[in-house]
Amino acid sequence: MATVYAITITLAPETVQSLVREGYSFCAFKAIATTAGGGGTPLYWIATHALTGTIDIRWTADYVAYVSPTEEIGHDIVAVPL
């Protein structure tokens, strides 16, 4: 069974109100490093405007890799584990 990781982020009500009023988003990402192509690009896990006082994030360490003729990754491309 894969290990489940979790983090809970708690924000004060005043902070949530201010962030929502100013149009901020909550984003979480996984940083990577590679020797291929001079480095890596962070992988966004979450990007949302729906900010609340408590944000729970849970994940497992499942990884996939693929090759592509282009470095462009569109919103409609999904990597599927083989």
Side-chain angles (χ1 to χ4, degrees), residues 14-67:
E14 302 80 22
T15 301
V16 173
Q17 291 171 359
S18 181
L19 293 171
V20 169
R21 182 177 56 250
E22 297 296 324
Y24 281 85
S25 296
F26 173 80
C27 300
F29 62 93
K30 169 76 171 141
I32 66 164
T34 178
T35 58
T41 302
L43 170 67
Y44 276 92
W45 283 342
I46 300 167
T48 181
H49 286 289
L51 295 174
T52 63
T54 302
I55 301 168
D56 292 313
I57 304 171
R58 300 183 192 296
W59 71 94
T60 59
D62 297 321
Y63 298 99
V64 298
Y66 68 97
V67 295

mmCIF file of all heavy atoms in Angstrom, residues 14-67:
data_model
loop_
_atom_site.group_PDB
_atom_site.id
_atom_site.type_symbol
_atom_site.label_atom_id
_atom_site.label_comp_id
_atom_site.label_asym_id
_atom_site.label_seq_id
_atom_site.Cartn_x
_atom_site.Cartn_y
_atom_site.Cartn_z
ATOM 1 N N GLU A 14 -9.565 36.685 8.846
ATOM 2 C CA GLU A 14 -9.176 37.982 8.257
ATOM 3 C C GLU A 14 -8.245 37.788 7.063
ATOM 4 O O GLU A 14 -8.320 38.515 6.075
ATOM 5 C CB GLU A 14 -8.478 38.873 9.299
ATOM 6 C CG GLU A 14 -9.292 39.159 10.541
ATOM 7 C CD GLU A 14 -9.261 38.013 11.555
ATOM 8 O OE1 GLU A 14 -8.330 37.189 11.534
ATOM 9 O OE2 GLU A 14 -10.207 37.936 12.367
ATOM 10 N N THR A 15 -7.375 36.798 7.152
ATOM 11 C CA THR A 15 -6.458 36.502 6.045
ATOM 12 C C THR A 15 -7.225 35.998 4.839
ATOM 13 O O THR A 15 -6.984 36.428 3.708
ATOM 14 C CB THR A 15 -5.406 35.466 6.483
ATOM 15 O OG1 THR A 15 -4.680 35.984 7.599
ATOM 16 C CG2 THR A 15 -4.452 35.138 5.357
ATOM 17 N N VAL A 16 -8.168 35.085 5.064
ATOM 18 C CA VAL A 16 -8.985 34.560 3.961
ATOM 19 C C VAL A 16 -9.742 35.687 3.293
ATOM 20 O O VAL A 16 -9.755 35.803 2.061
ATOM 21 C CB VAL A 16 -9.955 33.465 4.470
ATOM 22 C CG1 VAL A 16 -10.913 33.038 3.359
ATOM 23 C CG2 VAL A 16 -9.195 32.268 5.008
ATOM 24 N N GLN A 17 -10.375 36.553 4.066
ATOM 25 C CA GLN A 17 -11.140 37.671 3.507
ATOM 26 C C GLN A 17 -10.252 38.567 2.659
ATOM 27 O O GLN A 17 -10.632 38.988 1.562
ATOM 28 C CB GLN A 17 -11.795 38.475 4.625
ATOM 29 C CG GLN A 17 -12.900 37.738 5.332
ATOM 30 C CD GLN A 17 -13.387 38.482 6.575
ATOM 31 O OE1 GLN A 17 -12.887 39.552 6.919
ATOM 32 N NE2 GLN A 17 -14.368 37.902 7.249
ATOM 33 N N SER A 18 -9.071 38.868 3.157
ATOM 34 C CA SER A 18 -8.146 39.732 2.427
ATOM 35 C C SER A 18 -7.672 39.079 1.129
ATOM 36 O O SER A 18 -7.624 39.722 0.079
ATOM 37 C CB SER A 18 -6.945 40.069 3.322
ATOM 38 O OG SER A 18 -6.050 40.905 2.651
ATOM 39 N N LEU A 19 -7.319 37.797 1.179
ATOM 40 C CA LEU A 19 -6.855 37.097 -0.017
ATOM 41 C C LEU A 19 -7.949 37.003 -1.070
ATOM 42 O O LEU A 19 -7.700 37.217 -2.261
ATOM 43 C CB LEU A 19 -6.352 35.697 0.353
ATOM 44 C CG LEU A 19 -5.083 35.650 1.200
ATOM 45 C CD1 LEU A 19 -4.808 34.227 1.674
ATOM 46 C CD2 LEU A 19 -3.894 36.204 0.438
ATOM 47 N N VAL A 20 -9.170 36.708 -0.648
ATOM 48 C CA VAL A 20 -10.303 36.632 -1.584
ATOM 49 C C VAL A 20 -10.580 38.010 -2.184
ATOM 50 O O VAL A 20 -10.756 38.153 -3.398
ATOM 51 C CB VAL A 20 -11.557 36.059 -0.882
ATOM 52 C CG1 VAL A 20 -12.801 36.229 -1.754
ATOM 53 C CG2 VAL A 20 -11.346 34.597 -0.518
ATOM 54 N N ARG A 21 -10.611 39.039 -1.343
ATOM 55 C CA ARG A 21 -10.882 40.404 -1.805
ATOM 56 C C ARG A 21 -9.852 40.843 -2.844
ATOM 57 O O ARG A 21 -10.183 41.499 -3.826
ATOM 58 C CB ARG A 21 -10.895 41.363 -0.619
ATOM 59 C CG ARG A 21 -11.224 42.802 -0.992
ATOM 60 C CD ARG A 21 -11.309 43.729 0.218
ATOM 61 N NE ARG A 21 -10.090 43.722 1.014
ATOM 62 C CZ ARG A 21 -9.967 43.202 2.241
ATOM 63 N NH1 ARG A 21 -10.998 42.630 2.833
ATOM 64 N NH2 ARG A 21 -8.821 43.241 2.886
ATOM 65 N N GLU A 22 -8.585 40.467 -2.656
ATOM 66 C CA GLU A 22 -7.517 40.884 -3.571
ATOM 67 C C GLU A 22 -7.356 39.960 -4.773
ATOM 68 O O GLU A 22 -6.498 40.185 -5.619
ATOM 69 C CB GLU A 22 -6.196 40.974 -2.802
ATOM 70 C CG GLU A 22 -6.200 42.023 -1.708
ATOM 71 C CD GLU A 22 -6.374 43.435 -2.245
ATOM 72 O OE1 GLU A 22 -5.851 43.738 -3.342
ATOM 73 O OE2 GLU A 22 -7.046 44.246 -1.579
ATOM 74 N N GLY A 23 -8.173 38.894 -4.839
ATOM 75 C CA GLY A 23 -8.159 38.021 -6.011
ATOM 76 C C GLY A 23 -7.062 36.965 -6.028
ATOM 77 O O GLY A 23 -6.718 36.449 -7.090
ATOM 78 N N TYR A 24 -6.519 36.612 -4.872
ATOM 79 C CA TYR A 24 -5.455 35.613 -4.819
ATOM 80 C C TYR A 24 -5.991 34.205 -5.032
ATOM 81 O O TYR A 24 -7.155 33.923 -4.749
ATOM 82 C CB TYR A 24 -4.734 35.661 -3.468
ATOM 83 C CG TYR A 24 -3.731 36.782 -3.369
ATOM 84 C CD1 TYR A 24 -4.131 38.059 -2.997
ATOM 85 C CD2 TYR A 24 -2.393 36.562 -3.658
ATOM 86 C CE1 TYR A 24 -3.220 39.092 -2.907
ATOM 87 C CE2 TYR A 24 -1.476 37.593 -3.562
ATOM 88 C CZ TYR A 24 -1.889 38.854 -3.188
ATOM 89 O OH TYR A 24 -0.985 39.873 -3.102
ATOM 90 N N SER A 25 -5.138 33.324 -5.524
ATOM 91 C CA SER A 25 -5.428 31.906 -5.663
ATOM 92 C C SER A 25 -4.529 31.130 -4.720
ATOM 93 O O SER A 25 -3.444 31.592 -4.362
ATOM 94 C CB SER A 25 -5.130 31.418 -7.084
ATOM 95 O OG SER A 25 -5.966 32.033 -8.010
ATOM 96 N N PHE A 26 -4.970 29.937 -4.343
ATOM 97 C CA PHE A 26 -4.118 29.026 -3.590
ATOM 98 C C PHE A 26 -3.505 28.057 -4.594
ATOM 99 O O PHE A 26 -4.208 27.436 -5.387
ATOM 100 C CB PHE A 26 -4.924 28.239 -2.550
ATOM 101 C CG PHE A 26 -4.114 27.179 -1.883
ATOM 102 C CD1 PHE A 26 -3.251 27.503 -0.855
ATOM 103 C CD2 PHE A 26 -4.187 25.870 -2.293
ATOM 104 C CE1 PHE A 26 -2.476 26.538 -0.244
ATOM 105 C CE2 PHE A 26 -3.428 24.883 -1.695
ATOM 106 C CZ PHE A 26 -2.562 25.220 -0.668
ATOM 107 N N CYS A 27 -2.189 27.943 -4.587
ATOM 108 C CA CYS A 27 -1.487 27.038 -5.484
ATOM 109 C C CYS A 27 -0.541 26.166 -4.668
ATOM 110 O O CYS A 27 0.106 26.647 -3.744
ATOM 111 C CB CYS A 27 -0.663 27.809 -6.516
ATOM 112 S SG CYS A 27 -1.629 28.901 -7.559
ATOM 113 N N ALA A 28 -0.474 24.892 -5.021
ATOM 114 C CA ALA A 28 0.482 23.976 -4.414
ATOM 115 C C ALA A 28 1.197 23.261 -5.546
ATOM 116 O O ALA A 28 0.591 22.946 -6.572
ATOM 117 C CB ALA A 28 -0.222 22.982 -3.504
ATOM 118 N N PHE A 29 2.479 23.031 -5.378
ATOM 119 C CA PHE A 29 3.234 22.388 -6.440
ATOM 120 C C PHE A 29 4.316 21.489 -5.868
ATOM 121 O O PHE A 29 4.687 21.588 -4.708
ATOM 122 C CB PHE A 29 3.848 23.412 -7.395
ATOM 123 C CG PHE A 29 4.837 24.331 -6.724
ATOM 124 C CD1 PHE A 29 6.192 24.036 -6.714
ATOM 125 C CD2 PHE A 29 4.415 25.495 -6.118
ATOM 126 C CE1 PHE A 29 7.096 24.879 -6.097
ATOM 127 C CE2 PHE A 29 5.313 26.357 -5.502
ATOM 128 C CZ PHE A 29 6.661 26.044 -5.501
ATOM 129 N N LYS A 30 4.812 20.600 -6.715
ATOM 130 C CA LYS A 30 5.919 19.715 -6.379
ATOM 131 C C LYS A 30 7.110 20.159 -7.205
ATOM 132 O O LYS A 30 7.069 20.161 -8.432
ATOM 133 C CB LYS A 30 5.543 18.265 -6.717
ATOM 134 C CG LYS A 30 6.662 17.275 -6.658
ATOM 135 C CD LYS A 30 7.012 16.912 -5.245
ATOM 136 C CE LYS A 30 7.995 15.756 -5.220
ATOM 137 N NZ LYS A 30 8.992 15.885 -4.230
ATOM 138 N N ALA A 31 8.168 20.572 -6.528
ATOM 139 C CA ALA A 31 9.380 20.981 -7.225
ATOM 140 C C ALA A 31 10.155 19.741 -7.665
ATOM 141 O O ALA A 31 10.158 18.719 -6.969
ATOM 142 C CB ALA A 31 10.246 21.841 -6.312
ATOM 143 N N ILE A 32 10.767 19.810 -8.832
ATOM 144 C CA ILE A 32 11.578 18.701 -9.306
ATOM 145 C C ILE A 32 12.920 19.217 -9.786
ATOM 146 O O ILE A 32 13.083 20.410 -10.032
ATOM 147 C CB ILE A 32 10.892 17.926 -10.446
ATOM 148 C CG1 ILE A 32 10.756 18.809 -11.704
ATOM 149 C CG2 ILE A 32 9.549 17.381 -10.008
ATOM 150 C CD1 ILE A 32 10.454 18.040 -12.947
ATOM 151 N N ALA A 33 13.861 18.317 -9.918
ATOM 152 C CA ALA A 33 15.166 18.644 -10.488
ATOM 153 C C ALA A 33 15.547 17.534 -11.452
ATOM 154 O O ALA A 33 15.211 16.369 -11.234
ATOM 155 C CB ALA A 33 16.211 18.776 -9.394
ATOM 156 N N THR A 34 16.231 17.881 -12.523
ATOM 157 C CA THR A 34 16.671 16.890 -13.497
ATOM 158 C C THR A 34 17.907 17.408 -14.204
ATOM 159 O O THR A 34 18.136 18.622 -14.271
ATOM 160 C CB THR A 34 15.563 16.574 -14.522
ATOM 161 O OG1 THR A 34 16.071 15.629 -15.475
ATOM 162 C CG2 THR A 34 15.110 17.816 -15.257
ATOM 163 N N THR A 35 18.698 16.500 -14.728
ATOM 164 C CA THR A 35 19.848 16.902 -15.530
ATOM 165 C C THR A 35 19.461 17.023 -16.998
ATOM 166 O O THR A 35 20.210 17.560 -17.796
ATOM 167 C CB THR A 35 20.990 15.881 -15.386
ATOM 168 O OG1 THR A 35 20.511 14.593 -15.789
ATOM 169 C CG2 THR A 35 21.492 15.834 -13.952
ATOM 170 N N ALA A 36 18.290 16.538 -17.378
ATOM 171 C CA ALA A 36 17.821 16.608 -18.761
ATOM 172 C C ALA A 36 17.292 17.999 -19.071
ATOM 173 O O ALA A 36 16.486 18.539 -18.323
ATOM 174 C CB ALA A 36 16.730 15.570 -18.997
ATOM 175 N N GLY A 37 17.740 18.579 -20.164
ATOM 176 C CA GLY A 37 17.201 19.859 -20.609
ATOM 177 C C GLY A 37 17.538 21.036 -19.716
ATOM 178 O O GLY A 37 16.906 22.067 -19.792
ATOM 179 N N GLY A 38 18.488 20.907 -18.839
ATOM 180 C CA GLY A 38 18.928 22.028 -18.022
ATOM 181 C C GLY A 38 18.107 22.276 -16.768
ATOM 182 O O GLY A 38 18.250 23.289 -16.115
ATOM 183 N N GLY A 39 17.233 21.384 -16.404
ATOM 184 C CA GLY A 39 16.483 21.589 -15.168
ATOM 185 C C GLY A 39 15.094 21.026 -15.252
ATOM 186 O O GLY A 39 14.764 20.271 -16.149
ATOM 187 N N GLY A 40 14.276 21.402 -14.310
ATOM 188 C CA GLY A 40 12.915 20.890 -14.262
ATOM 189 C C GLY A 40 11.910 22.005 -14.140
ATOM 190 O O GLY A 40 12.252 23.163 -13.926
ATOM 191 N N THR A 41 10.661 21.653 -14.291
ATOM 192 C CA THR A 41 9.554 22.582 -14.160
ATOM 193 C C THR A 41 8.660 22.096 -13.028
ATOM 194 O O THR A 41 8.320 20.919 -12.983
ATOM 195 C CB THR A 41 8.728 22.631 -15.465
ATOM 196 O OG1 THR A 41 9.596 23.010 -16.535
ATOM 197 C CG2 THR A 41 7.597 23.624 -15.363
ATOM 198 N N PRO A 42 8.278 22.974 -12.107
ATOM 199 C CA PRO A 42 7.394 22.539 -11.028
ATOM 200 C C PRO A 42 6.079 21.982 -11.566
ATOM 201 O O PRO A 42 5.561 22.458 -12.567
ATOM 202 C CB PRO A 42 7.131 23.815 -10.225
ATOM 203 C CG PRO A 42 8.246 24.723 -10.581
ATOM 204 C CD PRO A 42 8.622 24.382 -11.999
ATOM 205 N N LEU A 43 5.580 20.970 -10.913
ATOM 206 C CA LEU A 43 4.311 20.366 -11.271
ATOM 207 C C LEU A 43 3.235 20.921 -10.353
ATOM 208 O O LEU A 43 3.290 20.744 -9.139
ATOM 209 C CB LEU A 43 4.391 18.844 -11.104
ATOM 210 C CG LEU A 43 3.077 18.089 -11.210
ATOM 211 C CD1 LEU A 43 2.525 18.175 -12.626
ATOM 212 C CD2 LEU A 43 3.267 16.652 -10.782
ATOM 213 N N TYR A 44 2.266 21.623 -10.933
ATOM 214 C CA TYR A 44 1.166 22.162 -10.129
ATOM 215 C C TYR A 44 0.202 21.055 -9.760
ATOM 216 O O TYR A 44 -0.271 20.324 -10.612
ATOM 217 C CB TYR A 44 0.409 23.270 -10.886
ATOM 218 C CG TYR A 44 1.065 24.601 -10.759
ATOM 219 C CD1 TYR A 44 1.990 25.021 -11.691
ATOM 220 C CD2 TYR A 44 0.781 25.428 -9.687
ATOM 221 C CE1 TYR A 44 2.618 26.242 -11.558
ATOM 222 C CE2 TYR A 44 1.400 26.651 -9.551
ATOM 223 C CZ TYR A 44 2.319 27.055 -10.487
ATOM 224 O OH TYR A 44 2.938 28.258 -10.360
ATOM 225 N N TRP A 45 -0.085 20.933 -8.488
ATOM 226 C CA TRP A 45 -1.065 19.971 -8.006
ATOM 227 C C TRP A 45 -2.421 20.621 -7.862
ATOM 228 O O TRP A 45 -3.436 20.030 -8.161
ATOM 229 C CB TRP A 45 -0.659 19.427 -6.640
ATOM 230 C CG TRP A 45 0.422 18.400 -6.655
ATOM 231 C CD1 TRP A 45 0.853 17.659 -7.718
ATOM 232 C CD2 TRP A 45 1.200 17.983 -5.539
ATOM 233 N NE1 TRP A 45 1.844 16.819 -7.324
ATOM 234 C CE2 TRP A 45 2.081 16.989 -5.998
ATOM 235 C CE3 TRP A 45 1.226 18.361 -4.204
ATOM 236 C CZ2 TRP A 45 2.978 16.367 -5.151
ATOM 237 C CZ3 TRP A 45 2.124 17.735 -3.370
ATOM 238 C CH2 TRP A 45 2.988 16.748 -3.852
ATOM 239 N N ILE A 46 -2.433 21.841 -7.354
ATOM 240 C CA ILE A 46 -3.688 22.518 -7.039
ATOM 241 C C ILE A 46 -3.570 23.983 -7.437
ATOM 242 O O ILE A 46 -2.559 24.613 -7.190
ATOM 243 C CB ILE A 46 -3.980 22.475 -5.523
ATOM 244 C CG1 ILE A 46 -4.080 21.040 -5.019
ATOM 245 C CG2 ILE A 46 -5.246 23.242 -5.179
ATOM 246 C CD1 ILE A 46 -4.048 20.956 -3.505
ATOM 247 N N ALA A 47 -4.608 24.518 -8.018
ATOM 248 C CA ALA A 47 -4.724 25.949 -8.255
ATOM 249 C C ALA A 47 -6.210 26.276 -8.143
ATOM 250 O O ALA A 47 -7.003 25.799 -8.953
ATOM 251 C CB ALA A 47 -4.180 26.335 -9.619
ATOM 252 N N THR A 48 -6.579 27.035 -7.122
ATOM 253 C CA THR A 48 -7.995 27.334 -6.906
ATOM 254 C C THR A 48 -8.186 28.717 -6.302
ATOM 255 O O THR A 48 -7.343 29.212 -5.578
ATOM 256 C CB THR A 48 -8.649 26.270 -5.985
ATOM 257 O OG1 THR A 48 -10.035 26.592 -5.832
ATOM 258 C CG2 THR A 48 -8.006 26.227 -4.622
ATOM 259 N N HIS A 49 -9.321 29.327 -6.634
ATOM 260 C CA HIS A 49 -9.722 30.593 -6.018
ATOM 261 C C HIS A 49 -10.602 30.342 -4.797
ATOM 262 O O HIS A 49 -10.918 31.262 -4.063
ATOM 263 C CB HIS A 49 -10.516 31.458 -7.011
ATOM 264 C CG HIS A 49 -9.666 32.077 -8.065
ATOM 265 N ND1 HIS A 49 -8.788 33.099 -7.813
ATOM 266 C CD2 HIS A 49 -9.560 31.804 -9.390
ATOM 267 C CE1 HIS A 49 -8.182 33.437 -8.932
ATOM 268 N NE2 HIS A 49 -8.620 32.669 -9.901
ATOM 269 N N ALA A 50 -11.011 29.089 -4.587
ATOM 270 C CA ALA A 50 -11.919 28.737 -3.488
ATOM 271 C C ALA A 50 -11.130 28.631 -2.184
ATOM 272 O O ALA A 50 -10.781 27.542 -1.744
ATOM 273 C CB ALA A 50 -12.633 27.432 -3.798
ATOM 274 N N LEU A 51 -10.847 29.769 -1.586
ATOM 275 C CA LEU A 51 -10.078 29.803 -0.344
ATOM 276 C C LEU A 51 -10.989 29.685 0.859
ATOM 277 O O LEU A 51 -12.040 30.322 0.919
ATOM 278 C CB LEU A 51 -9.278 31.101 -0.257
ATOM 279 C CG LEU A 51 -8.192 31.276 -1.316
ATOM 280 C CD1 LEU A 51 -7.582 32.657 -1.207
ATOM 281 C CD2 LEU A 51 -7.132 30.220 -1.165
ATOM 282 N N THR A 52 -10.587 28.851 1.806
ATOM 283 C CA THR A 52 -11.310 28.693 3.059
ATOM 284 C C THR A 52 -10.308 28.756 4.202
ATOM 285 O O THR A 52 -9.102 28.788 3.985
ATOM 286 C CB THR A 52 -12.070 27.357 3.106
ATOM 287 O OG1 THR A 52 -11.113 26.289 3.037
ATOM 288 C CG2 THR A 52 -13.064 27.229 1.968
ATOM 289 N N GLY A 53 -10.792 28.737 5.418
ATOM 290 C CA GLY A 53 -9.922 28.823 6.586
ATOM 291 C C GLY A 53 -9.082 27.582 6.827
ATOM 292 O O GLY A 53 -8.039 27.644 7.462
ATOM 293 N N THR A 54 -9.530 26.438 6.307
ATOM 294 C CA THR A 54 -8.776 25.199 6.450
ATOM 295 C C THR A 54 -8.664 24.524 5.091
ATOM 296 O O THR A 54 -9.669 24.300 4.421
ATOM 297 C CB THR A 54 -9.467 24.238 7.434
ATOM 298 O OG1 THR A 54 -9.606 24.898 8.691
ATOM 299 C CG2 THR A 54 -8.669 22.967 7.627
ATOM 300 N N ILE A 55 -7.437 24.222 4.690
ATOM 301 C CA ILE A 55 -7.187 23.550 3.419
ATOM 302 C C ILE A 55 -6.471 22.242 3.737
ATOM 303 O O ILE A 55 -5.368 22.252 4.293
ATOM 304 C CB ILE A 55 -6.331 24.422 2.484
ATOM 305 C CG1 ILE A 55 -7.033 25.761 2.220
ATOM 306 C CG2 ILE A 55 -6.036 23.682 1.185
ATOM 307 C CD1 ILE A 55 -6.155 26.797 1.546
ATOM 308 N N ASP A 56 -7.105 21.121 3.418
ATOM 309 C CA ASP A 56 -6.514 19.802 3.618
ATOM 310 C C ASP A 56 -6.019 19.274 2.283
ATOM 311 O O ASP A 56 -6.768 19.272 1.298
ATOM 312 C CB ASP A 56 -7.537 18.816 4.187
ATOM 313 C CG ASP A 56 -7.939 19.161 5.606
ATOM 314 O OD1 ASP A 56 -7.034 19.430 6.421
ATOM 315 O OD2 ASP A 56 -9.141 19.158 5.896
ATOM 316 N N ILE A 57 -4.775 18.814 2.248
ATOM 317 C CA ILE A 57 -4.198 18.239 1.037
ATOM 318 C C ILE A 57 -3.676 16.849 1.401
ATOM 319 O O ILE A 57 -2.960 16.689 2.388
ATOM 320 C CB ILE A 57 -3.048 19.093 0.496
ATOM 321 C CG1 ILE A 57 -3.514 20.525 0.240
ATOM 322 C CG2 ILE A 57 -2.471 18.480 -0.778
ATOM 323 C CD1 ILE A 57 -2.389 21.472 -0.085
ATOM 324 N N ARG A 58 -4.037 15.845 0.615
ATOM 325 C CA ARG A 58 -3.557 14.474 0.807
ATOM 326 C C ARG A 58 -3.070 13.939 -0.531
ATOM 327 O O ARG A 58 -3.683 14.216 -1.563
ATOM 328 C CB ARG A 58 -4.674 13.584 1.338
ATOM 329 C CG ARG A 58 -5.215 14.041 2.655
ATOM 330 C CD ARG A 58 -6.280 13.100 3.205
ATOM 331 N NE ARG A 58 -7.004 13.660 4.329
ATOM 332 C CZ ARG A 58 -6.495 13.976 5.512
ATOM 333 N NH1 ARG A 58 -5.215 13.782 5.725
ATOM 334 N NH2 ARG A 58 -7.230 14.486 6.470
ATOM 335 N N TRP A 59 -1.977 13.183 -0.508
ATOM 336 C CA TRP A 59 -1.440 12.626 -1.739
ATOM 337 C C TRP A 59 -0.606 11.388 -1.453
ATOM 338 O O TRP A 59 -0.241 11.118 -0.325
ATOM 339 C CB TRP A 59 -0.612 13.674 -2.480
ATOM 340 C CG TRP A 59 0.701 14.001 -1.828
ATOM 341 C CD1 TRP A 59 1.913 13.449 -2.109
ATOM 342 C CD2 TRP A 59 0.932 14.950 -0.783
ATOM 343 N NE1 TRP A 59 2.881 13.992 -1.302
ATOM 344 C CE2 TRP A 59 2.301 14.920 -0.468
ATOM 345 C CE3 TRP A 59 0.102 15.819 -0.072
ATOM 346 C CZ2 TRP A 59 2.866 15.725 0.510
ATOM 347 C CZ3 TRP A 59 0.668 16.612 0.915
ATOM 348 C CH2 TRP A 59 2.021 16.565 1.186
ATOM 349 N N THR A 60 -0.343 10.624 -2.515
ATOM 350 C CA THR A 60 0.578 9.498 -2.457
ATOM 351 C C THR A 60 1.700 9.774 -3.452
ATOM 352 O O THR A 60 1.554 10.606 -4.357
ATOM 353 C CB THR A 60 -0.106 8.169 -2.817
ATOM 354 O OG1 THR A 60 -0.641 8.261 -4.132
ATOM 355 C CG2 THR A 60 -1.209 7.828 -1.837
ATOM 356 N N ALA A 61 2.796 9.092 -3.295
ATOM 357 C CA ALA A 61 3.951 9.298 -4.168
ATOM 358 C C ALA A 61 3.891 8.332 -5.347
ATOM 359 O O ALA A 61 4.570 7.315 -5.374
ATOM 360 C CB ALA A 61 5.244 9.129 -3.385
ATOM 361 N N ASP A 62 3.040 8.629 -6.310
ATOM 362 C CA ASP A 62 2.933 7.860 -7.544
ATOM 363 C C ASP A 62 3.499 8.719 -8.664
ATOM 364 O O ASP A 62 3.024 9.838 -8.879
ATOM 365 C CB ASP A 62 1.470 7.512 -7.850
ATOM 366 C CG ASP A 62 0.849 6.625 -6.787
ATOM 367 O OD1 ASP A 62 1.550 5.720 -6.290
ATOM 368 O OD2 ASP A 62 -0.318 6.844 -6.446
ATOM 369 N N TYR A 63 4.485 8.215 -9.388
ATOM 370 C CA TYR A 63 5.145 9.013 -10.416
ATOM 371 C C TYR A 63 5.065 8.320 -11.768
ATOM 372 O O TYR A 63 5.050 7.090 -11.851
ATOM 373 C CB TYR A 63 6.611 9.246 -10.059
ATOM 374 C CG TYR A 63 6.782 10.013 -8.780
ATOM 375 C CD1 TYR A 63 7.056 9.368 -7.579
ATOM 376 C CD2 TYR A 63 6.638 11.395 -8.769
ATOM 377 C CE1 TYR A 63 7.197 10.078 -6.401
ATOM 378 C CE2 TYR A 63 6.776 12.117 -7.594
ATOM 379 C CZ TYR A 63 7.060 11.455 -6.413
ATOM 380 O OH TYR A 63 7.184 12.163 -5.251
ATOM 381 N N VAL A 64 5.010 9.117 -12.820
ATOM 382 C CA VAL A 64 5.046 8.622 -14.186
ATOM 383 C C VAL A 64 5.987 9.510 -14.983
ATOM 384 O O VAL A 64 6.309 10.634 -14.576
ATOM 385 C CB VAL A 64 3.646 8.622 -14.852
ATOM 386 C CG1 VAL A 64 2.703 7.700 -14.113
ATOM 387 C CG2 VAL A 64 3.074 10.007 -14.934
ATOM 388 N N ALA A 65 6.427 9.016 -16.122
ATOM 389 C CA ALA A 65 7.273 9.796 -17.029
ATOM 390 C C ALA A 65 6.839 9.479 -18.456
ATOM 391 O O ALA A 65 6.267 8.414 -18.723
ATOM 392 C CB ALA A 65 8.739 9.447 -16.829
ATOM 393 N N TYR A 66 7.076 10.396 -19.354
ATOM 394 C CA TYR A 66 6.751 10.174 -20.746
ATOM 395 C C TYR A 66 7.686 11.021 -21.600
ATOM 396 O O TYR A 66 8.364 11.923 -21.107
ATOM 397 C CB TYR A 66 5.292 10.517 -21.036
ATOM 398 C CG TYR A 66 4.969 11.990 -20.936
ATOM 399 C CD1 TYR A 66 4.940 12.793 -22.074
ATOM 400 C CD2 TYR A 66 4.717 12.593 -19.709
ATOM 401 C CE1 TYR A 66 4.670 14.143 -21.988
ATOM 402 C CE2 TYR A 66 4.441 13.941 -19.613
ATOM 403 C CZ TYR A 66 4.423 14.708 -20.750
ATOM 404 O OH TYR A 66 4.156 16.044 -20.659
ATOM 405 N N VAL A 67 7.741 10.721 -22.901
ATOM 406 C CA VAL A 67 8.524 11.520 -23.841
ATOM 407 C C VAL A 67 7.560 12.189 -24.806
ATOM 408 O O VAL A 67 6.467 11.690 -25.072
ATOM 409 C CB VAL A 67 9.569 10.672 -24.606
ATOM 410 C CG1 VAL A 67 10.602 10.120 -23.653
ATOM 411 C CG2 VAL A 67 8.908 9.551 -25.374
#
